[in-house]
Amino acid sequence: MSNNVSPDGGIKPAAIATTKGAYAPEEPSSPDLSSKSKDDQDHEVHQLHDEHDEDTVYVKGHPVIRNGMDVSKYLISDRDDGDPSLTFRAIVLGSLFTALSSVITMLYVFKPTQMQVSAVFLQLLVYIFGQAWALGTPRPDRFKSPWVQRILRFLNFGQPFKIKEHVVAALIASSGNNGLSGVEVYGVERLFYNRSVTALTAVLATFSISLCGFVLAGVLRPLIVYPAEMVYWSTLPQVVLYQNLHFDQKANRDRLIKFGWALGIAAVWEIFPAYVMPWLGGISVFCLASMNAPEHTRTIFTTIFGGASGNEGMGLFNISLDWQYIQSQFLSLPLKQQLNTWIGYFFWYIAMLALYYGNAWSAKKFPFMSTSLFHENGTRFDSTTILNNHGTIDFDKLEQIGLPYMTSSTVWGYFTMNLAIGALITHVILFYGKDMLLAWKQARSRTQPDPHYQGMLKYKEVPMWWYIALFVLCFIAGIVVTTKGETTLPVWGFIVALLLGGFIAPFSCILYGLYGTGVGTNALSKMIGGVVHPGRPLANLYFASWSHQVILLAVNLSNWLKVGQYTKVPHRVMFATQIYGTLLGAALNYVVMTTIVSNQKDILLDPVGNNVWSGSTMQSLNSQAVTWAMAKQIYGENGRYLIVPLGLVIGLALPFAHWGVIKVFPRAKDWPINTAIIASYSGATTYFGITSWIWSSIAVGIFSQVYLRRRLPNIYNKYNYLIGAALDGGSQIIIFILSFAVFGASGKERPFPTWWGRPDGNPDHCL
């Protein structure tokens, strides 16, 4: 489609494609507003609004990004050079970095320091190696022999490294950990249940768990991929970076220079909050003011204002300057999403303090924040003490020892997870039902107005039977595993797991596409798995793995299909490379897992571990499985935490209350309220871990989405997402290096000397 043709076939008046493909008014038609009065400026801006696009708001001649259609028209180019996507170079680079990311990720599962290779980091690595391949190899035209030329062209020697190759290679690399969940289950089985899965079980279960969710993304792509409003906002920095790296590099030179500077500055800066001066990761005036206060006062201040260490406190008014925790998502997530998160944080602060100081569920006997289990007297609960020799719960032992207790923060976190899931289902049906029906009809008639969708119509679609056939194979593999393998999960349990995941996945995909974030569903999978398979931790692990993977893979594939739509990678290439990357990564994960578990089993079973190996992740997975296997006793009708499953019912009612308010006060329809996001950020995302980043994320969101986007749309459209990707890339590169150099990933930790900026206790100087 021509850049000057609107989706309905009309000509866009006075619009040209910028270097990023974004539409902007031609220079002669952009009046100088700087010397005019505010009324004159408003009048001329209104004229621009009418002249260019009646649905677009302009400020000083530049469009303000407000929704998905604005993103499609003004932010992401619909340019398609027709360059090849599935090349030898793309496959090799994708495979190479799949090996890197999957092996490192699996390796760090067994390390005392956790580490992952981020998507932006992989994107930059692929670009560097792709350019080196293009520039460091001989061009085919330097040779006279035709067959040599053909071989060199096949090997992509001397050929420019284009955007579609880059996307495909990065996609393969990023898909490498899609099957991690299943491999972790095998690790738990080897360590704690003294049995190894057979080769047949490993192959079939990995295949089934890794790919079972793909069919939903395929079937529902007219709803969750094609429409312009399905932006997948958190991925925009990557898409913008792809286009800036490959499109009109000379014209984009200024932007790329700024990208390089931002990446370099972020990399240098990250050394300080991450290593030299961790205090920068949690600056709290209240913590500093309480340094000489009595211990009781300091404890209260830590609970409320501390947040620079894991499970320290709520981090109220705590400011973090550590970008590894903030990240570009708060530059890219739309204002409608961030407004709901801010409302959620408000409720979270109130609820956490009320529950703890109100002594709900005997909260004061336990830490303020912790995901561990406890006895009634406040000591840690060892889940292995209630297991028999078969790895299932011995209920006689459980009766003697007593049911475990949880902290009030964990109970609230689980409750808000279920609250968010219930609200998600009702909210999508009530508020998006008509839009989804329209999107489906438009996709069937190929009239979806999104210019990127229209630009993809020339490529062959993935036939629906491909997705269905893949699901049938995954289903058969799962049936074989549950009947022949020793999973302790019956066939009907496997089917229930798929049905549960299949029911929730469409709602999660819709929310993720519209808002850039989802809601946590893993706890629900484990809770229901525990209810239907009481006393069987291993069955719970397999149940949760299949159920949650359906949701996770549907979201991941939909996200990448949208990236493919933005960058014009053919549908069938996206489908094939996703499968290839997922299976390759799962195979490598399995090899690494079996090697480490076989050779380091004793140290991995040790609760402490050493400075090289730690089984804490596997121990945590097993403990959670044991806990959820007691779901009937803990969350049942007579359970101590009945409120957790009731969160689903309460959550289902929240959007009805919202809908009722709109009926009474019609103007409330314009308020971008989403009760699912509010519920999720009221506790489900912040009930454990570091919290010092919250207020920094709010500041970043206000600056980006409230000020920059509305007041300076030209700068926002050019640099917001690009600089966000640079900051992510710089900080993640340094964290990767520091992990091996000083954080102990190489086997020896080299801590920075203790000083005021790096105290022995909490970095923010709270107690």
Side-chain angles (χ1 to χ4, degrees):
M1 176 180 287
S2 170
N3 280 346
N4 290 338
V5 180
S6 66
D8 61 2
I11 303 298
K12 289 184 177 292
I16 61 171
T18 68
T19 54
K20 283 172 58 178
Y23 297 107
E26 293 180 359
E27 291 302 324
S29 67
S30 300
D32 181 9
L33 304 179
S34 59
S35 61
K36 300 181 183 290
S37 68
K38 185 178 186 303
D39 290 339
D40 289 339
Q41 289 183 25
D42 290 343
H43 174 69
E44 294 204 25
V45 167
H46 183 69
Q47 283 185 323
L48 282 172
H49 175 106
D50 292 336
E51 180 183 356
H52 296 300
D53 192 328
E54 62 181 12
D55 294 326
T56 303
V57 174
Y58 288 85
V59 173
K60 298 181 181 179
H62 298 284
V64 176
I65 304 299
R66 300 166 302 147
N67 51 44
M69 186 56 77
D70 287 343
V71 169
S72 291
K73 292 193 295 185
Y74 305 117
L75 189 64
I76 305 298
S77 171
D78 62 356
R79 170 177 164 179
D80 184 0
D81 294 342
D83 47 302
S85 54
L86 191 61
T87 64
F88 177 79
R89 178 166 52 195
I91 297 297
V92 171
L93 291 178
S95 302
L96 173 66
F97 289 109
T98 295
L100 174 71
S101 64
S102 58
V103 168
I104 287 179
T105 300
M106 195 72 244
L107 186 67
Y108 272 87
V109 169
F110 301 101
K111 290 284 187 180
T113 304
Q114 298 302 303
M115 176 73 190
Q116 283 189 331
V117 183
S118 74
V120 174
F121 184 36
L122 285 174
Q123 183 180 7
L124 292 173
L125 281 178
V126 169
Y127 179 74
I128 292 170
F129 277 75
Q131 289 288 50
W133 190 312
L135 300 175
T137 53
R139 296 194 309 272
D141 56 14
R142 295 177 60 182
F143 298 87
K144 295 182 179 180
S145 173
W147 67 269
V148 172
Q149 290 183 357
R150 284 195 295 271
I151 291 175
L152 294 183
R153 286 194 179 94
F154 173 78
L155 298 176
N156 307 118
F157 277 19
Q159 305 297 303
F161 186 57
K162 296 295 187 70
I163 184 172
K164 294 185 184 182
E165 279 186 282
H166 191 180
V167 172
V168 168
L171 161 65
I172 294 172
S174 297
S175 302
N177 291 314
N178 281 346
L180 182 63
S181 175
V183 177
E184 288 179 335
V185 174
Y186 311 148
V188 171
E189 196 168 355
R190 280 173 172 260
L191 280 173
F192 300 100
Y193 300 93
N194 294 317
R195 60 190 186 199
S196 302
V197 295
T198 63
L200 179 65
T201 299
V203 171
L204 294 181
T206 299
F207 176 80
S208 181
I209 292 172
S210 300
L211 300 176
C212 56
F214 277 36
V215 65
L216 282 173
V219 172
L220 297 175
R221 60 193 187 276
L223 301 182
I224 60 181
V225 177
Y226 296 160
E229 292 307 316
M230 291 296 168
V231 177
Y232 294 86
W233 295 87
S234 56
T235 315
L236 279 183
Q238 287 179 260
V239 177
V240 171
L241 179 57
Y242 280 126
Q243 296 196 343
N244 274 268
L245 289 174
H246 294 280
F247 288 170
D248 302 321
Q249 291 183 357
K250 290 183 179 179
N252 276 335
R253 185 172 181 273
D254 182 57
R255 269 182 268 191
L256 291 175
I257 289 174
K258 288 182 172 63
F259 172 84
W261 274 105
L263 186 144
I265 292 171
V268 173
W269 171 257
E270 186 60 37
I271 297 172
F272 293 93
Y275 184 56
V276 177
M277 194 176 183
W279 175 74
L280 294 170
I283 302 172
S284 173
V285 174
F286 297 93
C287 288
L288 295 177
S290 67
M291 288 177 65
N292 297 319
E295 184 174 340
H296 175 69
T297 302
R298 295 194 68 191
T299 300
I300 295 175
F301 269 54
T302 300
T303 297
I304 299 173
F305 303 109
S309 295
N311 296 334
E312 180 187 351
M314 297 189 303
L316 184 64
F317 304 129
N318 203 319
I319 297 297
S320 174
L321 301 180
D322 190 345
W323 191 259
Q324 68 168 314
Y325 296 117
I326 303 170
Q327 299 188 344
S328 64
Q329 61 177 326
F330 299 103
L331 289 171
S332 56
L333 291 174
L335 183 60
K336 63 181 180 180
Q337 191 276 346
Q338 299 201 49
L339 282 173
N340 285 285
T341 66
W342 301 339
I343 296 171
Y345 292 147
F346 173 77
F347 289 121
W348 175 67
Y349 284 120
I350 295 175
M352 289 281 283
L353 292 175
L355 291 173
Y356 184 75
Y357 289 106
N359 203 31
W361 306 294
S362 304
K364 291 185 178 180
K365 293 182 179 180
F366 317 114
F368 178 67
M369 296 174 70
S370 175
T371 55
S372 298
L373 299 176
F374 298 90
H375 291 285
E376 187 177 6
N377 61 6
T379 58
R380 291 285 180 92
F381 185 93
D382 183 0
S383 59
T384 60
T385 59
I386 59 172
L387 296 179
N388 57 30
N389 295 331
H390 303 289
T392 58
I393 293 177
D394 187 326
F395 286 97
D396 291 333
K397 291 182 180 179
L398 178 61
E399 187 174 351
Q400 294 175 3
I401 295 174
L403 290 170
Y405 283 75
M406 294 186 290
T407 62
S408 59
S409 64
T410 298
V411 178
W412 178 251
Y414 289 163
F415 168 72
T416 51
M417 283 184 195
N418 287 339
L419 200 70
I421 294 170
L424 168 65
I425 294 169
T426 312
H427 187 91
V428 169
I429 294 173
L430 278 179
F431 293 98
Y432 305 139
K434 292 182 180 179
D435 293 333
M436 294 299 105
L437 183 61
L438 175 62
W440 188 273
K441 290 179 178 178
Q442 289 175 334
R444 292 290 298 272
S445 61
R446 299 167 73 91
T447 58
Q448 174 61 247
D450 178 47
H452 295 280
Y453 168 78
Q454 293 293 328
M456 291 292 288
L457 291 178
K458 59 188 172 187
Y459 296 109
K460 289 184 178 180
E461 257 292 7
V462 177
M464 194 64 72
W465 71 265
W466 286 19
Y467 287 103
I468 295 173
L470 178 63
F471 176 75
V472 169
L473 292 175
C474 291
F475 184 79
I476 294 173
I479 294 292
V480 173
V481 168
T482 51
T483 54
K484 300 295 184 181
E486 296 182 350
T487 64
T488 71
L489 179 69
V491 172
W492 67 267
F494 163 68
I495 295 173
V496 171
L498 293 183
L499 290 174
L500 175 63
F503 175 72
I504 296 176
F507 299 100
S508 290
C509 290
I510 290 170
L511 184 70
Y512 203 93
L514 290 172
Y515 288 87
T517 56
V519 299
T521 57
N522 204 10
L524 177 67
S525 298
K526 291 177 179 178
M527 184 173 66
I528 293 180
V531 170
V532 298
H533 304 297
R536 285 186 276 178
L538 192 57
N540 182 279
L541 281 173
Y542 277 101
F543 182 96
S545 186
W546 259 300
S547 177
H548 186 61
Q549 282 294 100
V550 169
I551 303 168
L552 181 65
L553 291 173
V555 171
N556 283 351
L557 180 58
S558 301
N559 194 2
W560 273 105
L561 288 177
K562 191 67 180 188
V563 173
Q565 181 169 301
Y566 281 142
T567 54
K568 308 302 175 292
V569 177
H571 307 286
R572 298 186 178 190
V573 173
M574 296 295 291
F575 176 82
T577 50
Q578 271 274 42
I579 294 175
Y580 169 71
T582 298
L583 293 179
L584 175 62
L588 293 170
N589 283 336
Y590 181 76
V591 170
V592 174
M593 181 276 294
T594 54
T595 302
I596 295 175
V597 171
S598 299
N599 295 315
Q600 306 293 336
K601 185 173 183 178
D602 291 339
I603 194 65
L604 294 177
L605 289 172
D606 190 311
V608 179
N610 60 24
N611 65 329
V612 180
W613 301 107
S614 171
S616 59
T617 299
M618 292 293 161
Q619 293 166 17
S620 175
L621 283 173
N622 186 56
S623 296
Q624 290 179 39
V626 172
T627 305
W628 289 110
M630 297 183 283
K632 277 190 175 181
Q633 289 76 21
I634 294 176
Y635 305 108
E637 183 179 354
N638 299 314
R640 187 180 298 122
Y641 306 115
L642 174 62
I643 188 64
V644 171
L646 286 180
L648 278 171
V649 180
I650 300 171
L652 287 169
L654 288 179
F656 283 109
H658 179 200
W659 180 80
V661 170
I662 291 175
K663 290 299 180 183
V664 177
F665 304 102
R667 294 184 64 181
K669 187 177 182 180
D670 297 329
W671 303 345
I673 298 297
N674 188 306
T675 51
I677 295 178
I678 292 174
S680 182
Y681 283 82
S682 294
T685 60
T686 47
Y687 70 93
F688 70 97
I690 291 174
T691 56
S692 59
W693 55 268
I694 292 176
W695 284 83
S696 295
S697 72
I698 293 173
V700 169
I702 291 174
F703 173 75
S704 171
Q705 298 299 319
V706 177
Y707 173 72
L708 204 61
R709 181 179 64 88
R710 292 181 168 186
R711 299 294 184 88
L712 301 170
N714 183 36
I715 294 176
Y716 177 90
N717 297 348
K718 281 185 177 181
Y719 297 112
N720 183 73
Y721 299 96
L722 185 68
I723 297 302
L727 297 177
D728 282 356
S731 61
Q732 290 160 6
I733 288 170
I734 289 301
I735 291 299
F736 184 83
I737 294 172
L738 290 178
S739 295
F740 284 94
V742 296
F743 289 158
S746 60
K748 184 177 181 180
E749 187 175 359
R750 298 174 178 84
F752 196 81
T754 300
W755 66 291
W756 187 90
R758 190 186 182 279
D760 281 330
N762 293 319
D764 50 19
H765 290 283
C766 267
L767 184 63

